[in-house]
Amino acid sequence: MKVGDMVRLSEYGIARDYNSRITMKCAYQTGIVVKVHENASYPYKVRWMKTSDGAYGTPAHSRRELKYAYR
């Protein structure tokens, strides 16, 4: 995945409690990868469409938590 890719949470990502504020509004919403930190445990920063990041910042995810939205 790279910056600009449209993604969704995978079934694994939906099941994780860490992502509950994303799935609270809509489990199958779309996001855009805004930053990739190579060699990090959670390298993908995603801006979700129906979640206000507010005080939490942009959430980071592992590759296993994400899947391409349109492929």
Side-chain angles (χ1 to χ4, degrees):
M1 290 185 173
K2 61 187 184 305
V3 172
D5 284 345
M6 293 185 73
V7 296
R8 290 176 38 190
L9 287 174
S10 65
E11 293 302 317
Y12 172 78
I14 291 170
R16 291 195 65 215
D17 286 337
Y18 173 81
N19 297 319
S20 62
R21 74 181 178 89
I22 297 166
T23 58
M24 184 183 325
K25 297 219 180 197
C26 177
Y28 299 101
Q29 65 175 302
T30 304
I32 297 176
V33 176
V34 294
K35 190 176 259 188
V36 179
H37 293 285
E38 297 297 329
N39 302 320
S41 297
Y42 298 94
Y44 301 100
K45 293 272 198 173
V46 177
R47 175 75 53 157
W48 295 101
M49 300 301 165
K50 296 181 180 177
T51 303
S52 60
D53 294 332
Y56 298 104
T58 305
H61 301 280
S62 68
R63 176 62 181 92
R64 185 175 177 195
E65 293 177 82
L66 302 173
K67 65 180 180 180
Y68 289 101
Y70 302 102
R71 270 215 169 172

